């Protein structure tokens, strides 16, 4: 999958429209009011597929979070809105691009469903 002229801004605008309980890691806490909840892993993998760069992972207690380092070196968190302005203090930050962790996410049913929705949404945006 390539960006095919999609910008990070357009990508970010599409995300809330294609997130739902079926694609959320924490489906019990997912809600329409917070559609990005539980989607950081699959969104980070899709963003990396589209824009390149790296996927980063960090944790703090029970919180585990993924975000992207773009090819220009800037970090971009496409799902930061799920935390509603709460400051994340993550430790053990590491790059997971092409790791077993990354490959598991990419091979998951959630990711495949999400990527399919994104492809359909992009077809509608372009038409």
């Amino acid at each position: 999958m390539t960006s095919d002229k999609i910008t990070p801004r357009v990508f970010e605008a599409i995300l809330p429209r294609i997130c739902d309980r079926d694609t959320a890691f924490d489906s019990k806490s997912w809600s329409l009011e917070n559609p990005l909840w539980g989607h950081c892993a699959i969104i980070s993998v899709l963003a990396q597929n589209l824009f390149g760069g790296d996927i980063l992972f960090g944790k703090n207690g029970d919180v585990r979070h993924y975000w992207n380092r773009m090819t220009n070196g800037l970090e971009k968190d496409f799902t930061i809105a799920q935390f509603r302005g709460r400051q994340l203090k993550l430790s053990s930050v590491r790059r997971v691009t092409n790791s077993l962790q990354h490959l598991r996410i990419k091979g998951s049913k959630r990711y495949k469903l999400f990527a399919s929705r994104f492809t359909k949404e992009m077809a509608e945006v372009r038409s």
Side-chain angles (χ1 to χ4, degrees):
M1 188 177 294
T2 62
S3 67
D4 198 23
K5 301 184 184 177
I6 184 173
T7 64
R9 176 178 268 164
V10 170
F11 176 71
E12 197 165 25
I14 289 171
L15 297 176
R17 298 194 302 254
I18 60 174
C19 292
D20 72 6
R21 190 174 308 282
D22 293 335
T23 54
F25 179 76
D26 178 10
S27 61
K28 291 180 182 176
S29 297
W30 183 88
S31 69
L32 285 172
E33 294 77 31
N34 194 356
L36 298 176
W37 181 260
H39 285 83
C40 63
I42 61 175
I43 288 174
S44 293
V45 170
L46 184 58
Q48 194 270 334
N49 286 345
L50 292 169
F51 307 116
D54 285 312
I55 300 168
L56 303 175
F57 170 79
K59 59 184 178 177
N60 183 352
D62 291 340
V63 176
R64 283 156 173 63
H65 189 60
Y66 296 84
W67 68 101
N68 297 83
R69 182 185 303 127
M70 308 304 277
T71 55
N72 63 6
L74 295 177
E75 292 184 15
K76 177 67 178 162
D77 187 342
F78 290 101
T79 64
I80 194 66
Q82 72 178 309
F83 297 108
R84 310 235 167 136
R86 207 175 60 187
Q87 184 74 7
L88 287 181
K89 295 185 190 234
L90 301 171
S91 60
S92 305
V93 173
R94 59 186 162 84
R95 177 185 169 273
V96 296
T97 310
N98 298 324
S99 68
L100 183 57
Q101 189 173 3
H102 174 205
L103 295 173
R104 282 183 185 146
I105 295 165
K106 196 170 186 175
S108 72
K109 182 178 173 183
R110 285 185 328 117
Y111 176 79
K112 290 174 182 175
L113 175 59
F114 191 77
S116 170
R117 287 180 186 170
F118 178 78
T119 300
K120 287 177 188 171
E121 185 70 22
M122 283 304 302
E124 290 180 24
V125 166
R126 289 185 178 123
S127 60

